[in-house]
Amino acid sequence: MKTPTVSQIGEDALVSEILASLPGGPRVRVAAGDDCAVIGAAEDARWTLLKTDCVIEGVHFTPETAPERIGRKALGRALSDIAAMGGTPAEALITLGLPGATEVEKVRGIYAGLAETARQFDVAIVGGETARTPGPLFLSVALTGWVNAGRCILRSGGRPGDGLYVTGVLGGSLAAHHLEFTPRLEEGQWLAKKEIPRCMMDLSDGLGSDLPRLARACGCGFALDRAALPCRAGSDGAAAVSDGEDYELLFAVPETRAAELETAWPARFPEVRLSRIGQLTDRETETLAHGFDHFAQP
Amino acid sequence: MKTPTVSQIGEDALVSEILASLPGGPRVRVAAGDDCAVIGAAEDARWTLLKTDCVIEGVHFTPETAPERIGRKALGRALSDIAAMGGTPAEALITLGLPGATEVEKVRGIYAGLAETARQFDVAIVGGETARTPGPLFLSVALTGWVNAGRCILRSGGRPGDGLYVTGVLGGSLAAHHLEFTPRLEEGQWLAKKEIPRCMMDLSDGLGSDLPRLARACGCGFALDRAALPCRAGSDGAAAVSDGEDYELLFAVPETRAAELETAWPARFPEVRLSRIGQLTDRETETLAHGFDHFAQP
């Protein structure tokens, strides 16, 4: 008898089941399930963040995508996860799966995009490998980063009544934003330093998938103020909830810090919109249209 | 005009060209080009090792390979690279590229093989991701490890006259060994602690490819004693040079330490053969049949 396929049970269910079976260790503070893993011994002044992220031709970019933009996106996605912990990125390794017929010029372009993005965010590219694949081109980026001990912002920790905030604008990202976004590293580090958010994550699968994940990690429900959703020009609220690939920060703030945040943010980040889009609640009050699930059946 | 493809120029040439363009950083002691990257600030008592390695269905295993063995091989290959630095592995992240039609039972089996191997070598699996791929199933493993500061064994450092040694037996690995090998972590750590080798690497592409790489990293040539090659039962010297996927250690030892090594080894590792297969020289004296180049044209 055939067992179900990953399309049939979906990514979230599959990942949750697997995570329970993985071996941990004494230095592991956060394992799978947050934006990054967090590693730190009791005596460490800094904790290490670890992240891997993969992009695949035909899924995350097309054969026509400019190679430099492929490299930029691949590293940018992992940087966005470091940002979501309030961390600073450090070293990257690149795994490039290449069909043998790939033009060398395309490989050079991908690496040029990687190297330029790495320089922009002060990341060292310290290795990786190329492997031949009979399938589509893919890049897997492994990225390290760090936070001061105890100073990373997890997905858990928010409480009922906390205000929900999101950076930037949402929706319509597939037109160009998904290849051009700036990971919110400065913003994440500033928020962590000020210790304003109780919890934080980055929006990659869309608010409709990611907000329920954040609330669930907090043991909360949520109320979304749809009229407050910051929509990209040409997008509407439905797109802001469902499109995905926003690479913005979503975080929850206690009422006691909300006024301070709303005053300090525009002074520090005048070009990055900040929107209060709802709050965490003590029970789930609505179901959102789903964001992107890689394995959802059509 | 079309530029050359990666098949046409080959993996080594492509990688070498790219490495020159990558941004580094002050903590980077060894970047791309060795078995692992090595990261360490001046004040660090331990240096961090970083490695990524990828296996792809149809290249490194077949659709019929038992899922547990796929997981075991994927992590084992990266562990072999940590061994080649004399290091101790620490945390792994797993990226799993899955066709939507993959049976869930296969994914569970792969993770069972990963988890069992991780437990065997005291590695924590701290995360990773699943991604849908329209191509073949692949796994990319990102692995961290550590050495005491200054105590890792690089590919460079060997000198003319040093004896060349290899662990285990070579050749014929595709029958079963490539799915069953034990990464030489204990052996690598013992060698590093005793500071016996001047340089070391693991044999993944075959002695015919890897020995010239080691010699080149040392600025040396080499003389291979073909009669001394340790061949797996059913293999011959040609297979030992060319087959690849041996996951044994290759290292060079100064004459002043050779007798000590040859006495101490069988007492410490009675079940692991150690063979002296030649020496580094001051000029390249022969060309070997190539080992495996993923991108070599047929």
Side-chain angles (χ1 to χ4, degrees), chain B residues 5-27:
Chain B
T5 67
V6 289
S7 287
Q8 285 163 342
I9 77 164
E11 185 177 10
D12 275 6
L14 179 62
V15 171
S16 306
E17 182 210 290
I18 287 170
L19 299 187
S21 69
L22 300 180
R27 301 195 314 146

Side-chain angles (χ1 to χ4, degrees), chain A residues 46-84:
Chain A
R46 286 180 174 187
W47 291 352
T48 298
L49 306 176
L50 297 175
K51 179 68 192 178
T52 57
D53 190 82
C54 183
V55 294
I56 303 172
E57 191 162 283
V59 180
H60 303 93
F61 58 92
T62 72
E64 291 71 38
T65 305
E68 290 77 7
R69 295 180 132 203
I70 298 170
R72 178 171 184 84
K73 175 171 185 172
L75 184 52
R77 280 164 57 98
L79 290 168
S80 182
D81 284 300
I82 299 282

Side-chain angles (χ1 to χ4, degrees), chain A residues 208 212 222 224 226 241 284-290:
Chain A
F222 59 88
L224 182 63
R226 283 168 187 270
V241 168
E284 187 141 357
T285 47
E286 61 175 320
T287 303
L288 298 176
H290 271 304

Side-chain angles (χ1 to χ4, degrees), chain A residues 98-171:
Chain A
L98 290 174
T102 309
E103 286 186 58
V104 168
E105 208 53 43
K106 181 164 183 170
V107 181
R108 288 196 187 107
I110 290 171
Y111 263 96
L114 286 164
E116 187 196 348
T117 309
R119 285 196 184 89
Q120 183 182 348
F121 295 102
D122 208 15
V123 171
I125 300 182
V126 297
E129 54 150 1
T130 54
R132 178 171 58 93
T133 173
L137 187 148
F138 67 84
L139 274 92
S140 177
V141 173
L143 184 61
T144 71
W146 59 271
V147 290
N148 287 322
R151 286 299 187 89
C152 58
I153 310 178
L154 306 183
R155 290 188 182 180
S156 55
R159 298 179 201 167
D162 287 358
L164 288 166
Y165 290 83
V166 69
T167 61
V169 293
L170 309 181

